[in-house]
Amino acid sequence: MKLLFLIADGMGGWPLDETDGQTTLEAAHTPNMDKLVRRASVGRCRTVPEGMPPGSDIANMSLLGFDPSEYHTGRGPIEAAAQGLELDPDDLVFRMNLVNLTSLDEDGTMLDYSAGHISSDKSVPLVEKLQNELGSDLVQFYPGIQYRHLLVIRGGARMAESELDIRPPHDLTNQSIAEDIKTYAKSDLLNSLVRKAHEILKESGTEAVSIWPWGQGRPLILPGFKETFGMKGAVISAVDLIKGLGRASGLEVVDIEGATGLVDTNYEGKVEAAMKFLEDGDFVFVHLEGPDESGHMGSIKDKVTSIERFDSRVLAPLYEKYGADSAFMVACDHFTPIKTRTHDSEPVPFMLSYPESEDSGLDSFSEKNSASTGLMINKGSDLMRWVLDQISQAEK
Ligand SMILES: [Zn+2]
């Protein structure tokens, strides 16, 4: 039996006044999820271990079956794995956003963690310029995509910089950056890099007026997915951190043209890639970023639309082709409630459906319905093993 994980990043949310007390998942028209849920094991899963921040890196690592409290070293290292960077175990890797802010001082406010969703066409030359002007044997800037890039300090894992606690910029929209400016100031190296980069970037004529290094750690090392779970698998996603998790665990990483991570992403390209891989593969992890991005933007309309497209343009065609003889896991990695516009570590709703699944007695897939069954996977990284156990029992 083939296994498809369909993950809508940040899909979970809370009831909203604007939608008559419904969550965006409830408000969205999702006939395909609502059909699947009738025959499925439905429950919740704690994808974020206690004491860890509710990031997509941590939550998706759990969904792939690896315990973040054991393997997670930071967001930067996962994205470095995505790019296949050659790193030494003692290097320190930062995720580096290009951001828009009012001023780079304690009076400053974070305006946009994505510099207006800057395109790679514009952002990559900026990062290359930073590397030319500020790069050295010790410090290297690596361009990624859109607003997401990397900064590496060679040998930095043993330096004080590894301990700095810098907040993710997507948690700071319209908030003061005073705390983080003080944190950067603890490191002469980082402080000087951030300041010099600001001098260069503010002349760029784009919304990218500053770098924001965060999420640093030693290079990521994961066990092999195939060796651990016995399946030949692939990840299909627009975002670097999912590709990094895939690459670090030996999963095939499929690049999709036009996959943007936004509501207008190339859904058909992702579905096609999943089908192509499944011709001789066993497992795909199809990840859609749109609901999360819309949650960060606080857009109910876009979040509902992203969820509806996930339902009609990802789940529907894949279910039509594989529904008769494959297993489907539909879930999100974490909540991104419209109200807070940031991630939340509440346990996520999931459903597992395969031909032998029993009736759930439910008629829609929602946060509330998933909680109503009482099924809870307390350690998120156990979910993959639980899924494989359910399927193998069904096959007997
Ligand atoms: Zn997010």
Side-chain angles (χ1 to χ4, degrees):
M1 198 183 298
K2 295 187 192 298
L3 173 60
L4 295 87
F5 266 48
L6 309 184
I7 306 300
D9 200 297
M11 178 164 68
W14 299 329
L16 292 161
D17 293 340
E18 296 88 329
T19 49
D20 296 327
Q22 291 184 308
T23 67
T24 42
L25 176 56
E26 288 167 336
H29 178 62
T30 54
N32 299 289
M33 282 196 256
D34 297 343
K35 187 173 104 188
L36 205 66
V37 79
R38 291 165 205 266
R39 282 184 52 197
S41 302
V42 184
R44 290 185 303 160
C45 172
R46 212 176 281 287
T47 50
V48 180
E50 211 167 313
M52 296 190 88
S56 290
D57 46 353
I58 286 168
N60 283 288
M61 188 183 284
S62 287
L63 291 174
L64 281 166
F66 302 111
D67 182 1
S69 50
E70 190 172 344
Y71 297 109
H72 185 265
T73 59
R75 179 92 168 224
I78 296 178
E79 300 191 13
Q83 295 196 27
L85 288 195
E86 293 276 334
L87 295 168
D88 289 330
D90 277 343
D91 288 342
L92 186 65
V93 191
F94 290 81
R95 156 73 179 271
M96 184 183 85
N97 283 45
L98 291 179
V99 300
N100 192 5
L101 34 78
T102 55
S103 62
L104 190 64
D105 54 42
E106 291 185 22
D107 297 330
T109 299
M110 177 67 68
L111 293 173
D112 190 340
Y113 67 93
S114 72
H117 281 286
I118 189 168
S119 68
S120 301
D121 289 356
K122 285 190 182 154
S123 69
V124 169
L126 294 178
V127 177
E128 285 169 350
K129 190 172 164 79
L130 294 174
Q131 170 62 17
N132 285 337
E133 298 194 17
L134 306 175
S136 65
D137 287 347
L138 178 65
V139 171
Q140 274 138 24
F141 295 83
Y142 290 94
I145 55 170
Q146 299 164 358
Y147 59 90
R148 305 187 283 263
H149 308 276
L150 294 168
L151 171 67
V152 175
I153 302 178
R154 298 285 176 187
R158 283 170 299 179
M159 293 162 56
E161 279 75 9
S162 67
E163 301 293 328
L164 296 177
D165 188 10
I166 308 142
R167 297 178 296 172
H170 54 251
D171 282 357
L172 302 178
T173 306
N174 296 328
Q175 289 178 39
S176 163
I177 57 170
E179 189 181 310
D180 308 279
I181 293 297
K182 285 183 206 150
T183 308
Y184 285 133
K186 288 179 191 163
S187 156
D188 290 342
L189 174 63
L190 217 50
N191 197 38
S192 128
L193 281 176
V194 171
R195 274 168 208 292
K196 286 179 182 162
H198 180 51
E199 291 309 311
I200 294 169
L201 291 172
K202 70 184 186 192
E203 306 298 327
S204 72
T206 71
E207 284 186 52
V209 302
S210 182
I211 60 170
W212 192 272
W214 62 283
Q216 75 276 24
R218 288 175 181 271
L220 168 71
I221 299 166
L222 285 178
F225 186 85
K226 182 144 200 245
E227 292 70 21
T228 310
F229 298 112
M231 293 182 288
K232 181 183 170 191
V235 295
I236 296 171
S237 171
V239 302
D240 282 357
L241 71 94
I242 306 293
K243 296 180 187 180
L245 291 169
R247 220 153 252 155
S249 58
L251 288 158
E252 193 166 309
V253 176
V254 185
D255 284 311
I256 310 292
E257 207 157 306
T260 57
L262 299 175
V263 66
D264 63 353
T265 195
N266 182 356
Y267 298 91
E268 285 69 29
K270 287 186 172 180
V271 166
E272 211 173 286
M275 289 180 178
K276 186 145 190 292
F277 181 79
L278 286 173
E279 283 171 15
D280 67 342
D282 312 305
F283 168 74
V284 285
F285 188 91
V286 182
H287 171 267
L288 268 292
E289 179 76 356
D292 180 60
E293 291 290 345
S294 337
H296 289 304
M297 289 186 269
S299 169
I300 296 173
K301 184 170 155 277
D302 278 359
K303 192 166 177 190
V304 166
T305 304
S306 295
I307 295 170
E308 290 178 346
R309 291 185 182 170
F310 172 69
D311 185 79
S312 63
R313 292 166 69 178
V314 178
L315 173 58
L318 288 170
Y319 192 76
E320 187 179 304
K321 186 163 167 87
Y322 299 104
D325 56 4
S326 300
F328 283 75
M329 163 61 69
V330 176
C332 58
D333 55 346
H334 54 67
F335 281 45
T336 309
I338 294 284
K339 196 169 166 199
T340 56
R341 297 179 61 173
T342 188
H343 302 172
D344 193 275
S345 40
E346 203 166 308
V348 300
F350 72 79
M351 60 174 156
L352 173 67
S353 181
Y354 46 91
E356 298 82 2
S357 286
E358 287 168 17
D359 287 352
S360 64
L362 299 172
D363 58 10
S364 73
F365 183 56
S366 68
E367 296 85 349
K368 212 190 303 159
N369 281 348
S370 306
S372 73
T373 65
L375 171 61
M376 171 73 98
I377 309 287
N378 258 313
K379 189 174 172 188
S381 53
D382 288 344
L383 181 72
M384 184 67 75
R385 188 59 68 195
W386 178 84
V387 167
L388 295 177
D389 285 350
Q390 300 289 311
I391 298 172
S392 75
Q393 280 169 22
E395 281 180 330
K396 270 175 202 159

